[in-house]
Amino acid sequence: MAEKKEKKAKNIHEVTVEISGEKWEQKLDETFKKVIKTVKIDGFRQGKAPRNVFEKKYGKQSLVVEAVDACMQEAYVKALDEFKGDPIMQPTVAIDKADETGVVYKFVFTTKPEVKIKKYTGLNVKKDAVKVTKKDVDAEIDKMRKEYADLTIKDGSAEEGDTVIIDFEGFDGDKAFEGGKAENHALELGSHSFIPGFEEALVGVKAGDKKDVNVTFPEDYHAEELKGKPVVFKVTVHEVKTKVYPELNEEFFLDLGLEDVKTKEDLEKTIKESMTEQMEYQAENKYVDELFEAVLKETEVDVPHELIHEELDRMVAQYGERLQMQGLTLDQFYKFTNSSEEALKAQMHDEAEKRVKLRFAIDEIIELEKIEATDEEAEKDAEEKAKKHGIEKDEYVKAFGGLEMLKYDIKVQKVLEILKK
């Protein structure tokens, strides 16, 4: 017999299922017949000891515990049938009572909470205008030329941006300190890869120069014994090299892998198109994020804690996958950062809550607007996306999570079109 009882929160429902009497005794007997095959009792062949002897040795409660587990699925089906609702997650279950007379399960079902959206149109969110200027294009070309620049030996003095080939050794007083020595080290002046003052002191040196460079280590330097310490580096300059940037010619365009680019004008056009596409993509993402943020401000919903915890588990798993791509595990990350899973989840909590709340808001708009997506729409979308990614349609559908996930994504896109209006 199942009894339904509703709690204060409208989306939290308790269903109590009791198994007792003849049915419970039958379950205990079935459990005994299963368990007795695995235990050995002195004086009896394995599996042949009577139930009263087993209970005397192991206690009646040992059969009760096993029977409680054996009845769990049956109780869940009965609770689900009695509830007749649409739970949004697996129910929690507690055992209210379990003894030789019967067992009482208490299932707690969570349904969709009440969602109130004050408004989701006229959100007054504007998309950023995208404009690529000549200055932007020139800066990108300069960046490309720097990446392909050759270092050539320079006869004159070193300037910022030049590279010096040096030997150096650091001294604290008269004593050389550990880690302060190198030979034939290539150092780009102005790269800020050395402690403050070191690179600046080498501006103006020439090949063959020897120079003492006096600097002070920063207070936050990683080596405790050198924090805030004034030291001297004895430097020998072997070579001064300067960057020679490639000409904007066909050879350079081929190096870039731009075979269709033959002139500077072609390059400028290609770069402008590429930058415009990238900026459009960024502007669209920012626009969508701001639209969703605006909807969240207009949405009221009590987000179930269990769903937040589920989302946190998913986010941590995804973070672990990204770390694996960098050759790290989550355990290594926790060790290196002196952190833990609990600390990581605490950092992610607000974002997890926001994601769950947004899903409720989107689902509410889908319901209010009676938005639908057909199998045909999903199939067509999958075909287009698969072609774009250079894979088979079925492979794309599987990677996306199935046709139903694709249909839901189409519904979300339709919601976005409404928000944009």
Side-chain angles (χ1 to χ4, degrees):
M1 174 183 173
E3 174 195 349
K4 185 164 76 170
K5 177 183 171 187
E6 192 168 289
K7 279 188 172 182
K8 272 188 180 181
K10 291 181 181 179
N11 67 310
I12 304 296
H13 313 267
E14 282 185 5
V15 177
T16 301
V17 175
E18 181 178 356
I19 298 175
S20 58
E22 187 179 332
K23 183 156 189 150
W24 179 242
E25 185 54 44
Q26 183 183 340
K27 276 291 178 187
L28 288 175
D29 195 48
E30 288 174 5
T31 302
F32 164 71
K33 288 174 180 175
K34 182 180 176 182
V35 171
I36 194 63
K37 294 175 183 177
T38 64
V39 298
K40 185 168 176 57
I41 297 176
D42 292 342
F44 297 90
R45 283 184 295 138
Q46 189 161 337
K48 297 299 181 181
R51 181 169 161 181
N52 65 324
V53 174
F54 172 88
E55 288 179 348
K56 188 175 180 181
K57 180 174 175 64
Y58 293 102
K60 292 181 179 181
Q61 197 61 25
S62 63
L63 287 181
V64 170
V65 171
E66 292 286 340
V68 166
D69 286 342
C71 291
M72 184 74 74
Q73 183 61 28
E74 181 184 337
Y76 170 65
V77 171
K78 189 180 286 189
L80 199 60
D81 183 60
E82 178 67 24
F83 175 54
K84 291 182 170 52
D86 188 15
I88 58 175
M89 57 186 294
Q90 280 291 107
T92 59
V93 60
I95 310 300
D96 264 10
K97 167 199 158 186
D99 56 31
E100 57 191 287
T101 66
V103 59
V104 178
Y105 302 90
K106 184 182 284 183
F107 292 90
V108 179
F109 291 91
T110 303
T111 55
K112 179 184 172 183
E114 185 180 9
V115 182
K116 292 181 181 177
I117 305 180
K118 295 173 189 174
K119 67 173 186 175
Y120 54 85
T121 57
L123 295 171
N124 199 29
V125 177
K126 306 286 184 188
K127 183 177 177 180
D128 291 343
V130 170
K131 186 180 180 182
V132 179
T133 65
K134 187 175 186 307
K135 186 178 178 182
D136 295 329
V137 173
D138 288 344
E140 186 62 24
I141 291 174
D142 285 343
K143 183 180 171 185
M144 288 177 168
R145 292 179 71 206
K146 283 178 182 176
E147 289 174 1
Y148 284 84
D150 289 324
L151 282 176
T152 60
I153 293 175
K154 180 179 180 180
D155 289 333
S157 303
E159 301 173 75
E160 187 165 316
D162 289 342
T163 296
V164 289
I165 310 300
I166 56 173
D167 295 343
F168 62 84
E169 187 170 15
F171 291 86
D172 177 9
D174 294 330
K175 185 181 177 184
F177 55 83
E178 189 176 347
K181 183 177 181 180
E183 294 180 353
N184 292 314
H185 181 82
L187 173 64
E188 182 181 336
L189 304 184
S191 65
H192 306 295
S193 54
F194 269 44
I195 60 174
F198 188 94
E199 293 171 32
E200 292 84 345
L202 295 180
V203 172
V205 298
K206 297 179 180 179
D209 284 356
K210 293 181 184 293
K211 185 169 185 177
D212 288 351
V213 176
N214 293 285
V215 289
T216 301
F217 277 97
E219 293 292 344
D220 60 352
Y221 194 66
H222 61 85
E224 190 66 36
E225 67 279 6
L226 293 173
K227 286 182 177 179
K229 264 279 177 75
V231 297
V232 60
F233 282 93
K234 295 187 177 297
V235 180
T236 300
V237 182
H238 294 301
E239 291 177 335
V240 176
K241 294 185 174 183
T242 192
K243 287 179 180 175
V244 177
Y245 298 107
E247 296 294 325
L248 295 179
N249 54 29
E250 195 167 342
E251 183 182 349
F252 177 57
F253 304 146
L254 285 172
D255 286 341
L256 293 174
L258 303 174
E259 294 181 17
D260 293 334
V261 175
K262 306 296 182 185
T263 65
K264 180 185 175 185
E265 289 71 25
D266 290 343
L267 180 62
E268 289 172 338
K269 182 185 175 186
T270 298
I271 289 174
K272 186 171 184 178
E273 288 173 354
S274 176
M275 291 182 74
T276 301
E277 185 180 343
Q278 180 65 22
M279 288 172 73
E280 280 284 359
Y281 176 78
Q282 292 169 349
E284 179 66 16
N285 283 347
K286 182 171 177 280
Y287 182 39
V288 169
D289 287 345
E290 289 175 350
L291 281 169
F292 284 149
E293 285 289 344
V295 169
L296 284 173
K297 286 176 183 176
E298 301 291 337
T299 302
E300 292 178 11
V301 57
D302 288 327
V303 179
H305 295 298
E306 293 83 1
L307 285 184
I308 297 174
H309 294 318
E310 278 187 6
E311 184 62 29
L312 281 169
D313 288 339
R314 185 160 37 248
M315 290 170 69
V316 169
Q318 289 170 347
Y319 190 68
E321 288 170 6
R322 291 197 296 272
L323 285 174
Q324 278 189 332
M325 292 171 71
Q326 301 170 36
L328 280 175
T329 65
L330 274 169
D331 286 340
Q332 287 170 328
F333 168 78
Y334 297 141
K335 184 178 178 182
F336 294 154
T337 58
N338 194 26
S339 184
S340 64
E341 183 175 314
E342 291 72 26
L344 183 60
K345 284 185 174 180
Q347 291 176 23
M348 293 177 168
H349 185 276
D350 289 350
E351 177 62 24
E353 184 174 8
K354 187 192 293 186
R355 289 185 185 186
V356 178
K357 184 178 178 182
L358 182 59
R359 282 204 293 271
F360 281 126
I362 289 171
D363 289 346
E364 183 69 10
I365 296 170
I366 288 171
E367 196 173 316
L368 290 169
E369 294 286 338
K370 297 181 173 55
I371 294 172
E372 294 182 354
T374 64
D375 287 354
E376 289 74 23
E377 284 178 294
E379 293 279 2
K380 183 182 176 184
D381 184 63
E383 199 168 323
E384 291 172 355
K385 299 280 179 59
K387 188 176 180 180
K388 185 178 178 181
H389 288 85
I391 58 176
E392 293 296 320
K393 186 183 79 172
D394 290 347
E395 187 182 347
Y396 178 81
V397 172
K398 185 179 178 181
F400 202 86
L403 205 62
E404 288 305 311
M405 285 297 292
L406 273 167
K407 286 163 71 174
Y408 183 75
D409 187 61
I410 290 170
K411 290 179 185 178
V412 173
Q413 296 309 314
K414 290 180 179 181
V415 168
L416 269 171
E417 291 308 311
I418 292 170
L419 300 184
K420 290 175 181 180
K421 290 177 184 176

